[in-house]
Amino acid sequence: MTARTAAGSATVRARVPVVLHRARGRTAELVTFRGLPDDGEHLACLVPARDPRRTPLARLHSECLTGDVLGSAHCDCGPQLDESLALLARHGGVLLYLRQEGRGIGLYNKLDAYLLQRHDPGTDTFEANRLLGRGADERDYLTAAVMLRTLGLHRVRLLTNNPDKVRQLRAHGVDVTETLPTGVHRTPENAAYLEAKARSGHRLPAGRPAHRPDTEVPA
């Protein structure tokens, strides 16, 4: 399978079946690629759809080692990943795990940004990136679009609160037919982080709880 873009083409390198306990024990395929537009080892996690007639659910999840793996309370990345996998377990679809740590600035720089915020609580996550001489958000979703198109997914329902993901996917040839908001995983520790995301344009409805995996995603 091949996806043609201005950046060239990509092909599937391998498909590896795994059982995911965080997806309620469902079997999924982990898919790797050759020829993506950047050098990141990005991964697609495909969960078979319960109803193949519906437009597939998709989540673009940027890597966050501190939140996804270590359970850091600084952000909402780990809870968003768990929420996404629970929904995929229920409905099927695809999660793209994108190696874009720290909004594209890398793990070490992200931890340096944490130190800046610790020393000056008035500095938010975006401003801390800029103080390090980096962009507030350096992520680009061309690679995500190529991954989806390589998998034959030209139309998706996107699970996100970030309108930039929607805009970029559409610009790169993926039809986002619907945007489904994630829950707001607010805690005392990550409240300032979520407020900074809202100021940056993320749509975070006040008080919206996370999706329950035992309920239907809207049609």
Side-chain angles (χ1 to χ4, degrees):
M1 291 179 287
T2 302
R4 297 286 178 186
T5 72
S9 62
T11 58
V12 169
R13 170 174 167 165
R15 293 176 177 268
V16 182
V18 295
V19 175
L20 299 179
H21 292 298
R22 294 172 78 176
R24 310 180 87 185
R26 288 204 65 187
T27 298
E29 274 191 326
L30 302 184
V31 184
T32 58
F33 301 85
R34 290 191 179 93
L36 291 174
D38 63 41
D39 295 329
E41 291 189 315
H42 309 288
L43 188 72
C45 176
L46 283 169
V47 181
R50 299 290 193 185
D51 183 354
R53 298 169 298 177
R54 298 180 69 182
T55 301
L57 187 66
R59 167 71 182 168
L60 313 186
H61 189 89
S62 296
E63 177 183 39
C64 177
L65 184 143
T66 51
D68 297 341
V69 178
L70 301 177
S72 169
H74 184 84
C75 63
D76 61 341
C77 301
Q80 282 193 329
L81 179 60
D82 287 337
E83 176 188 14
S84 300
L85 289 172
L87 286 171
L88 291 176
R90 172 96 179 153
H91 303 282
V94 60
L95 182 139
L96 302 187
Y97 197 80
L98 304 171
R99 311 303 292 274
Q100 301 173 327
E101 186 81 49
R103 295 193 181 85
I105 70 172
L107 177 61
Y108 283 13
N109 283 325
K110 182 178 83 169
L111 294 179
D112 288 343
Y114 280 6
L115 284 178
L116 288 176
Q117 294 173 78
R118 183 180 180 88
H119 293 313
D120 181 3
T123 299
D124 69 29
T125 180
F126 298 96
E127 181 61 22
N129 282 10
R130 287 190 286 263
L131 289 173
L132 292 174
R134 304 299 297 262
D137 189 337
E138 297 186 3
R139 291 175 296 179
D140 180 280
Y141 298 105
L142 170 61
T143 292
V146 172
M147 292 167 72
L148 291 172
R149 296 173 60 189
T150 299
L151 296 170
L153 300 176
H154 298 272
R155 302 175 74 245
V156 297
R157 295 181 297 145
L158 193 64
L159 181 64
T160 187
N161 295 327
N162 185 353
D164 190 45
K165 292 180 180 179
V166 179
R167 179 186 62 79
Q168 288 202 41
L169 284 188
R170 287 174 173 162
H172 296 310
V174 176
D175 181 12
V176 179
T177 64
E178 184 180 5
T179 303
L180 303 169
T182 69
V184 177
H185 303 276
R186 185 182 295 272
T187 66
E189 293 83 5
N190 70 21
Y193 171 83
L194 291 178
E195 289 164 6
K197 286 174 72 172
R199 289 193 298 272
S200 78
H202 288 232
R203 295 167 182 161
L204 304 178
R208 182 183 178 90
H211 289 288
R212 290 175 50 199
D214 58 344
T215 60
E216 290 293 329
V217 171

